[in-house]
Amino acid sequence: MKELLRSNDPTIIAFAKALLQGEDIGVFELDVHMSALEGSVGILPRRLMVRETDLFMARSVMRDNNIELAE
């Protein structure tokens, strides 16, 4: 799996997941429950991971919707 997106904004994460699922690209969200450790402040970013074979298409979907990608 490769990291596609990293963000503290849950709305961007949800939007990106919906876009990817709409294109039948499997997506896995990491660090979802880290807010329990940080006290729900939102300082730790969540990460979206995709299969390496889907990475090119996933990046295209994100760029088409003006979502900034992880480097």
Side-chain angles (χ1 to χ4, degrees):
M1 306 240 10
K2 296 288 185 176
E3 182 178 341
L4 175 69
L5 175 66
R6 184 182 296 214
S7 178
N8 293 5
D9 188 343
T11 60
I12 290 175
I13 296 291
F15 182 51
K17 283 175 61 175
L19 290 170
L20 293 169
Q21 289 168 350
E23 296 290 332
D24 290 326
I25 296 173
V27 60
F28 185 77
E29 187 175 352
L30 295 177
D31 306 322
V32 176
H33 302 290
M34 290 302 291
S35 63
L37 296 175
E38 70 180 32
S40 299
V41 180
I43 58 173
L44 297 175
R46 294 182 184 181
R47 296 176 287 163
L48 289 185
M49 308 294 283
V50 296
R51 288 180 296 222
E52 192 168 356
T53 56
D54 292 331
L55 187 59
F56 179 78
M57 181 62 118
R59 285 180 175 165
S60 295
V61 170
M62 296 296 101
R63 284 189 194 111
D64 289 347
N65 289 280
N66 298 318
I67 296 176
E68 191 174 323
L69 298 173
E71 292 298 319

